[in-house]
Amino acid sequence: MLTGYKRSLRLIDGEAVTFYYVGQMVRFSPVSMLRELVLKKEMNSFVSNRVELDASQVLAKIWPKKGQLTPRTKVKMNCGDSQLKVYRYAAKVDQVNVSHYEFYINKELAGIFNRKYDYGRSFTSTVSQLRPELHPLQVKIDEKYLLRDGSSGSQVIIEFFGHTQVWMIFKEAELQQLVSHWDLKLKQKQKEP
């Protein structure tokens, strides 16, 4: 099925996770990443816009390597009635190292997380590319930008958190449901003697 990949079963944030990887394994926690996303949506204030988003155009701007690479790491985990798969890619884009994660719930793309290890150098240009009506001088590195597509419900979060980060959210309710599932399991474990 996943020829050429090594396999490792790990317990990450209390959840059984199967890693498939090439080269050296990079451990990451899909649980923590999605919890942070849900918390970010609940707790932060955003510079927000409703716009027409073309997900393929946004993706081409943040990840022009689409279809050119195979994932370095694949993660699979069962979450109640759902199965979560996360593919992690790593490459240089415009001379900057980038980590790119694709989250699939039951084989449907639910979200994408993209981090450029640029210490924020490309934050302004990234916001300007995705929101062309903003002049680069209007972009503030300490603000988080949320773009919502009224027709599809897709969302894009652009932020500086040590590096330039972009979340693309296609299935918000399903992602929140996974986090609720993990939180419920955690509460049940904490109640056990």
Side-chain angles (χ1 to χ4, degrees):
M1 174 176 103
L2 296 171
T3 57
Y5 286 86
K6 298 174 191 165
R7 181 177 180 264
S8 177
L9 184 61
R10 301 283 181 177
L11 200 61
I12 305 287
D13 289 334
E15 298 293 326
V17 178
T18 305
F19 284 85
Y20 300 90
Y21 60 97
V22 175
Q24 189 164 350
M25 183 173 74
V26 175
R27 274 182 36 171
F28 62 93
S29 172
V31 176
S32 293
M33 292 174 79
L34 293 177
R35 275 190 176 130
E36 278 181 30
L37 173 63
V38 168
L39 191 61
K40 185 183 315 279
K41 289 289 306 282
E42 291 173 359
M43 304 294 287
N44 287 304
S45 58
F46 295 94
V47 174
S48 185
N49 272 33
R50 285 202 182 277
V51 293
E52 290 298 318
L53 289 177
D54 181 339
S56 61
Q57 286 181 357
V58 172
L59 189 54
K61 289 176 181 173
I62 66 166
W63 187 241
K65 303 282 187 181
K66 178 84 174 144
Q68 300 174 21
L69 303 171
T70 56
R72 305 287 297 162
T73 307
K74 298 179 183 185
V75 168
K76 188 165 78 171
M77 57 191 300
N78 293 318
C79 311
D81 296 335
S82 300
Q83 184 180 66
L84 175 67
K85 288 185 181 177
V86 183
Y87 298 159
R88 181 187 183 275
Y89 301 83
K92 276 197 184 282
V93 176
D94 300 326
Q95 307 302 315
V96 175
N97 290 327
V98 176
S99 292
H100 179 85
Y101 301 80
E102 296 179 357
F103 293 79
Y104 293 84
I105 299 174
N106 299 330
K107 299 183 181 177
E108 289 189 46
L109 184 60
I112 291 173
F113 177 69
N114 186 282
R115 176 183 287 138
K116 283 184 176 179
Y117 295 94
D118 63 354
Y119 301 99
R121 287 188 302 272
S122 68
F123 178 77
T124 300
S125 62
T126 301
V127 173
S128 296
Q129 277 185 325
L130 301 180
R131 286 191 57 196
E133 77 282 0
L134 275 182
H135 187 278
L137 294 176
Q138 293 175 293
V139 177
K140 296 182 174 118
I141 201 160
D142 60 341
E143 293 182 329
K144 297 176 187 328
Y145 294 82
L146 174 64
L147 311 180
R148 300 173 193 259
D149 184 11
S151 58
S152 72
S154 298
Q155 301 171 47
V156 175
I157 296 172
I158 314 158
E159 66 178 343
F160 170 72
F161 189 73
H163 300 287
T164 303
Q165 301 185 156
V166 177
W167 269 103
M168 295 179 70
I169 305 164
F170 304 109
K171 306 239 177 238
E172 184 175 22
E174 289 85 344
L175 292 170
Q176 286 178 333
Q177 191 173 14
L178 286 183
V179 172
S180 295
H181 168 78
W182 293 323
D183 289 347
L184 180 62
K185 280 180 66 178
L186 183 62
K187 285 179 187 174
Q188 288 172 343
K189 283 181 185 177
Q190 290 173 342
K191 287 181 182 178
E192 293 174 3

